[in-house]
Amino acid sequence: MANFGLQAGCSRTARAFASDRGLPASRFFDKVSPRSQVPLRAIMLSVINQSLLGFINIGSTATFNAFVNSAAVTLYITYITPVILGVLKRMRGEQIPHGPFALGRGRNIINAVAIVYTLFTSFFPF
């Protein structure tokens, strides 16, 4: 039952990307069936992608686990990138305008802990 919700979300996302011309062959995947008013091509793209991922798991569990864990690692990298860029900018002496919240004096320690923690969790995800 959970797959129905995932399928709906994935196909809607694919259709939205296609309508914004963010997918290869966007014009093909952007079509909505006139009879059912459903983006069948985007749904089929989603079904094929999920099937291919399932076949990876059937073939090699280690490969599938590595693939899934790489998604978690890249998510960590997106979290830490602004922190690292901010630290580099401050090290060059450039000023960063503050928003409504600032870390104050503890900023350098908090940033260092965040960088070390993210590096650790990226290399040892278990």
Side-chain angles (χ1 to χ4, degrees):
M1 290 304 268
N3 191 37
F4 292 129
L6 294 172
Q7 183 65 41
C10 186
S11 62
R12 288 176 184 163
T13 302
R15 165 62 170 60
F17 270 103
S19 67
D20 291 340
R21 304 294 181 244
L23 284 178
S26 289
R27 295 188 197 282
F28 179 78
F29 293 115
D30 188 29
K31 302 290 185 215
V32 175
S33 170
R35 189 175 131 220
S36 62
Q37 296 297 311
V38 173
L40 290 176
R41 294 176 180 178
I43 291 171
M44 290 310 298
L45 174 67
S46 178
V47 167
I48 290 169
N49 281 338
Q50 288 180 6
S51 298
L52 291 174
L53 288 173
F55 290 142
I56 291 172
N57 194 22
I58 291 170
S60 171
T61 304
T63 303
F64 181 75
N65 288 337
F67 182 76
V68 171
N69 286 332
S70 69
V73 170
T74 55
L75 189 62
Y76 293 153
I77 290 170
T78 63
Y79 289 153
I80 202 63
T81 300
V83 175
I84 292 173
L85 293 176
V87 168
L88 292 175
K89 197 167 187 167
R90 279 191 296 278
M91 287 174 65
R92 286 189 299 226
E94 298 178 37
Q95 293 296 318
I96 299 174
H98 292 289
F101 178 78
L103 294 175
R105 291 182 172 177
R107 153 182 88 207
N108 294 334
I109 293 171
I110 293 170
N111 286 336
V113 169
I115 292 169
V116 170
Y117 176 77
T118 303
L119 288 174
F120 179 78
T121 57
S122 295
F123 290 110
F124 305 105
F126 297 106

